[in-house]
Amino acid sequence: MSEQTINGSTVDAPSKLRGSIGVGGIVFMVVAAAAPLTAIGGALPVMLAIGNGPGVPAAYLLVAVVLLLFSVGYAAMSRHVVDTGAFYSYVTAGLGRIAGTGAAGLALLTYSTIQAGIYGLSGVTLQGLVVKYGGPDLPWWLWAGVLWGLVAVLGFRNIEVGTKVLSVLLVLEVGIVTVMTVAILAQGGAHGIDFDSFTPGAFSTGSAGIGVMFAVASFVGFEATAIYSEEARDPKRSVPRATYLAVIAIGGFYALSSWAVVLAVGTHDVQGAAAKNTSGLVFAVAGQYVGSAASDTMEILLLTSLFAALLAFHNAISRYLFSLGRQGEAPAILGRSHAKNGSPHAGSLVQSVSAAVVVGAFVLAGSDPVLELFTWMSGLATLGVLVLMILVGVAIITFFARTGADTRLWHTRLAPALGALGLCWITFMVLANFTTLIGGSASLARLFEGIVVLFFAAGAVSAAVRRRRDA
């Protein structure tokens, strides 16, 4: 049996994933998880209505700048730690196995909850499309089950199969939003082109904190650049490049598209218009500036956008489980790759089952798939990913200070510190507005905050117990 070296440890070849994706493929996976059309068609109107209205484009840019600062240290770390665990592996390398396994618990919570929430939204979206075009009016969870089956099959296969599917879907959804954006700018919007959206006054309109919260949620899945490092052709070059490109592409696309929507309605009118027609605002804008065919196409591509996000998060979770199994933090079977596909097949199966259990619990409880399943799980995931990134920022600084593996001041000290401080500020705003974000009560917000702490503690305690047992 052949052996390979990963992060200084020798492992059997069946414990290593196979693939040859390049920078473009990795960026596609990350941007697909960000679900551009879902963010623009679904989240943007909510941000405009209850967030900071015309200042939403600035909120996207602000979050992108903070994540770019974070990315400097993240990219530097990727040259020294190559593992599918990404956040978990980086925290372990910098702060030790106990904190790292706690971070793994948080990561699994984050990606599992956001994926479960998307199953709710995608099930409702598919149900509506089927009925609109003359099909049977079946329960949303049956349609979510159809999507679940497709994700399970593709997630079991080699990463390159999923990448090809995501690439096609991503090009289509980005393409339709780009057409709408260009049409709006070419026609001068409702009252001409202005840049008021990028001024401090516009940013502070209404609730800037809620705008920033939704902007952060739009970047969930950002970690995936490192998650696919083992399946990249040249991870030490591909991951850093993909990280920067993904943040710039996501931030720039969202800022430009949201600015176009603001101009399409009018800087001073967009907040009121979004409040009156939250679910259909962007589709109405597409119909007005491009045509009814574009609006209909956008509704269909919203479904493919959601499916792309489901597959991307499935891939991320299964690779986390693979890394935990390989490192001895989870059952060893999870750390074995498929003999033919070279995929984390066991982790993929476990993830499929866990997704069915979470969504099934909401179905049995009779919960609303959008107002409860999607909204609650998205809020929980947003808080979880922020805490994770702060931990990673601290771990990066600690790792380079202890090892001296990279002595560049900007890459290993200043940029990571500035990024971590920015993330702490954003987290403070999230906590201050968390009840609004999840659309629930204060007691529910406290419960979700407690769950974040609980999952980190559970991972850390399990690692501590194993350390004592193995001593």
Side-chain angles (χ1 to χ4, degrees), residues 355-373:
V357 169
V358 174
V359 176
F362 276 85
V363 173
L364 292 175
S367 301
D368 186 281
V370 177
L371 298 179
E372 294 174 332
L373 176 54

Side-chain angles (χ1 to χ4, degrees), residues 31-112:
V31 179
L37 187 52
T38 302
I40 297 301
L44 175 59
V46 179
M47 296 170 70
L48 293 169
I50 67 174
N52 52 336
V56 165
Y60 279 125
L61 288 182
L62 174 65
V63 172
V65 169
V66 171
L67 291 182
L68 278 175
L69 289 171
F70 173 85
S71 298
V72 174
Y74 191 69
M77 193 76 162
S78 70
R79 299 178 183 277
H80 302 277
V81 180
V82 178
D83 190 90
T84 62
F87 280 174
Y88 149 65
S89 301
Y90 290 6
V91 175
T92 299
L95 302 179
R97 185 162 299 279
I98 292 177
T101 309
L106 266 181
L108 290 174
L109 171 69
T110 296
Y111 293 127
S112 296

Side-chain angles (χ1 to χ4, degrees), residues 24-419:
I26 296 174
V27 172
F28 269 118
M29 297 295 282
V30 176
V31 179
L37 187 52
T38 302
I40 297 301
L44 175 59
V46 179
M47 296 170 70
L48 293 169
I50 67 174
N52 52 336
V56 165
Y60 279 125
L61 288 182
L62 174 65
V63 172
V65 169
V66 171
L67 291 182
L68 278 175
L69 289 171
F70 173 85
S71 298
V72 174
Y74 191 69
M77 193 76 162
S78 70
R79 299 178 183 277
H80 302 277
V81 180
V82 178
D83 190 90
T84 62
F87 280 174
Y88 149 65
S89 301
Y90 290 6
V91 175
T92 299
L95 302 179
R97 185 162 299 279
I98 292 177
T101 309
L106 266 181
L108 290 174
L109 171 69
T110 296
Y111 293 127
S112 296
T113 51
I114 188 64
Q115 191 204 39
I118 294 173
Y119 270 119
L121 181 58
S122 61
V124 170
T125 301
L126 180 53
Q127 178 193 43
L129 285 173
V130 170
V131 171
K132 178 179 179 178
Y133 291 102
D137 187 3
L138 301 176
W140 70 267
W141 50 266
L142 282 177
W143 297 117
V146 171
L147 297 174
W148 174 88
L150 292 173
V151 169
V153 170
L154 288 174
F156 191 86
R157 300 288 301 279
N158 182 278
I159 185 63
E160 294 179 29
V161 177
T163 301
K164 291 175 182 177
V165 173
L166 289 176
S167 297
V168 173
L169 298 180
L170 184 61
V171 168
L172 292 174
E173 63 176 293
V174 169
I176 191 66
V177 176
T178 300
V179 168
M180 180 189 71
T181 300
V182 171
I184 293 170
L185 296 178
Q187 296 174 48
H191 308 295
I193 305 297
D194 65 63
F195 298 91
D196 293 350
S197 290
F198 302 101
T199 63
F203 176 77
S204 59
T205 299
S207 177
I210 293 177
V212 170
M213 284 191 300
F214 276 97
V216 170
S218 299
F219 282 87
V220 172
F222 155 79
E223 172 192 12
T225 53
I227 286 178
Y228 301 111
S229 58
E230 281 187 32
E231 295 153 286
R233 282 193 292 269
D234 184 2
K236 293 187 177 181
R237 292 170 60 88
S238 298
V239 172
R241 291 178 179 178
T243 300
Y244 291 127
L245 284 174
V247 174
I248 293 171
I250 295 172
F253 182 80
Y254 287 155
L256 181 61
S257 302
S258 60
W259 176 53
V261 172
V262 170
L263 293 177
V265 181
T267 303
H268 302 293
D269 304 319
V270 68
Q271 193 157 28
K276 292 178 181 178
N277 185 22
T278 305
S279 62
L281 178 70
V282 174
F283 302 109
V285 166
Q288 177 184 349
Y289 285 86
V290 185
S292 59
S295 180
D296 292 340
T297 301
M298 189 174 286
E299 289 182 349
I300 295 172
L301 290 178
L302 174 60
L303 177 64
T304 66
S305 173
L306 291 166
F307 177 76
L310 288 172
L311 181 56
F313 284 122
H314 177 97
N315 287 337
I317 298 165
S318 61
R319 280 153 183 78
Y320 251 103
L321 293 172
F322 174 84
S323 181
L324 288 169
R326 189 170 61 188
Q327 299 296 337
E329 304 294 346
I333 185 63
L334 295 175
R336 306 291 290 181
S337 57
H338 193 277
K340 179 180 178 181
N341 297 328
S343 63
H345 63 296
S348 177
L349 291 173
V350 169
Q351 202 288 310
S352 295
V353 172
S354 66
V357 169
V358 174
V359 176
F362 276 85
V363 173
L364 292 175
S367 301
D368 186 281
V370 177
L371 298 179
E372 294 174 332
L373 176 54
F374 176 71
T375 303
W376 291 359
M377 295 299 95
S378 296
L380 184 54
T382 299
L383 181 58
V385 79
L386 281 168
V387 175
L388 263 176
M389 288 193 289
I390 292 171
L391 282 171
V392 173
V394 175
I396 290 170
I397 296 171
T398 305
F399 173 81
F400 287 116
R402 186 182 70 249
T403 65
D406 189 332
T407 58
R408 294 175 295 176
L409 183 62
W410 173 252
H411 291 75
T412 63
R413 302 288 199 281
L414 296 181
L418 290 172

